[in-house]
Amino acid sequence: MLKKIFTWWDGATIGTLLFSKLNGTRVGEDELGNVYFEGGRTTDGRPRRWVIYSGSNDASRVPPAWHGWLHHSTDLTPDQLPAPRAWQKPAEPNLTGTEAAYRPAGALERGGVRAAATGDYEAWSPN
């Protein structure tokens, strides 16, 4: 119980959940379990929109269609949008720090061996 009151990095605190239930209207939920709300107005008059993450608070876990809705790029929720095109890949969360992270050739995690420099490279010498 104390963890839910004081920690925000692994999910919403009790205060955020209460605020969302009392001041917002539930708009939808994505396939990851994140819940989206709308309520009130921003200082420029647009509707205030926010997300309650299921699990860790990581913005890369918001699918592109919901990201567009959150940032007022569209007023349509993903269930009102046309189906994704066949060539579109599904969104992935940020993989930095995991085994699936991108590691270019020469990275220490891949052995640290890079291709030799090309012939136009000349090492600097202080002489």
Side-chain angles (χ1 to χ4, degrees):
M1 180 65 170
L2 284 176
K3 183 178 178 186
K4 271 301 199 195
I5 294 173
F6 295 110
T7 62
W8 54 264
W9 51 86
D10 63 348
T13 62
I14 290 176
T16 304
L17 293 172
L18 271 170
F19 174 85
S20 297
K21 299 245 188 239
L22 296 175
N23 299 312
T25 305
R26 187 179 191 272
V27 175
E29 184 174 334
D30 65 23
E31 60 275 2
L32 299 173
N34 301 326
V35 182
Y36 299 87
F37 290 89
E38 185 173 60
R41 297 268 172 204
T42 62
T43 55
D44 61 353
R46 296 188 301 177
R48 186 174 303 278
R49 297 173 176 171
W50 67 94
V51 59
I52 301 294
Y53 297 100
S54 71
S56 65
N57 294 335
D58 182 6
S60 72
R61 295 181 62 231
V62 173
W66 279 109
H67 180 273
W69 179 82
L70 280 171
H71 293 275
H72 300 279
S73 297
T74 180
D75 286 331
L76 302 176
T77 57
D79 58 331
Q80 299 168 327
L81 294 172
R85 307 280 183 157
W87 46 263
Q88 287 178 299
K89 290 184 177 182
E92 286 185 358
N94 185 349
L95 300 174
T96 302
T98 68
E99 287 298 317
Y102 172 71
R103 291 177 173 70
L108 294 177
E109 295 87 355
R110 287 185 60 187
V113 178
R114 291 189 289 190
T118 61
D120 63 345
Y121 175 78
E122 199 173 302
W124 177 78
S125 177
N127 298 345

